[in-house]
Amino acid sequence: MAIRTGRRTLSVLGLIAMTGAAFAAASGTAESATPGPAAVYSGWKNNFSTGKTAPGQQKQVARLFLPAGSYTVFAKLNLEPPVTEGYPAIVKCYLRAENDNDYAVAIQDPVLASVPMSLNVVHTFTAGGYAVLSCGSLASSATTELSMIKITAIQASSLSNKPLP
């Protein structure tokens, strides 16, 4: 589809691209990062059992190696029904990149199919390092079943990470 404007004919895609560029320029702030080349690193583990853990004990369930650089790292997983029938599982998972971390806590009742968990951390590695996902039981030593584990890191030319107002 084309739009005729005086002596020029613009395609709809061209018009959308121009509008998007104008909007991006108008909505930029002093804190906006300049776009640059990005790389995406990802790994997966579809089925995993953390086994028995003591209350409060964390066990590494997945890790992703990342070369030196700045990243935003995402992890997602599903907490499956507890193996010990009749008992709810209370699970705490951490996503760590050196000293930066995030955690999530979920309660999985035996009657639910699965409970999703997601975590996010930003970090700059001065040398290559690992984004590590660990999980463990908070209330019992029951076996914790996890599935559909994914860790994805997006490399950025710069990072800004500060408290929200």
Side-chain angles (χ1 to χ4, degrees), residues 27 43 49 67 78 162-163 165:
S27 64
S49 170
N78 290 331
K162 53 187 161 190

Side-chain angles (χ1 to χ4, degrees), residues 3-24:
I3 299 173
R4 181 123 177 109
T5 59
R7 289 182 274 182
R8 294 185 179 177
T9 302
L10 297 173
S11 71
V12 171
L13 290 177
L15 186 60
I16 291 170
M18 287 182 357
T19 304
F23 177 75

Side-chain angles (χ1 to χ4, degrees), residues 98-117:
E98 295 177 336
N99 293 329
D100 293 316
N101 67 78
D102 188 15
Y103 75 88
V105 177
I107 299 173
Q108 173 52 297
D109 190 284
V111 298
L112 298 174
S114 68
V115 175
M117 297 177 80

Side-chain angles (χ1 to χ4, degrees), residues 6-71:
R7 289 182 274 182
R8 294 185 179 177
T9 302
L10 297 173
S11 71
V12 171
L13 290 177
L15 186 60
I16 291 170
M18 287 182 357
T19 304
F23 177 75
S27 64
T29 67
E31 295 177 3
S32 297
T34 303
V40 177
Y41 300 85
S42 193
W44 54 271
K45 187 184 285 189
N46 286 342
N47 291 305
F48 187 79
S49 170
T50 63
K52 292 191 177 217
T53 58
Q57 181 184 29
Q58 292 289 304
K59 184 174 184 180
Q60 180 177 299
V61 296
R63 68 182 184 174
L64 179 66
F65 179 79
L66 299 168
S70 297
Y71 297 89

Side-chain angles (χ1 to χ4, degrees), residues 67-144:
S70 297
Y71 297 89
T72 182
V73 184
F74 304 95
K76 60 83 58 190
L77 62 139
N78 290 331
L79 176 59
E80 298 300 329
V83 174
T84 310
E85 207 169 303
Y87 293 96
I90 302 171
V91 175
K92 185 175 191 176
C93 293
Y94 282 92
L95 177 61
R96 290 186 172 93
E98 295 177 336
N99 293 329
D100 293 316
N101 67 78
D102 188 15
Y103 75 88
V105 177
I107 299 173
Q108 173 52 297
D109 190 284
V111 298
L112 298 174
S114 68
V115 175
M117 297 177 80
S118 61
L119 302 101
N120 172 242
V121 67
V122 296
H123 183 72
T124 298
F125 289 98
T126 55
Y130 286 94
V132 177
L133 178 66
S134 62
C135 296
S137 174
L138 289 179
S140 70
S141 59
T143 300
T144 303

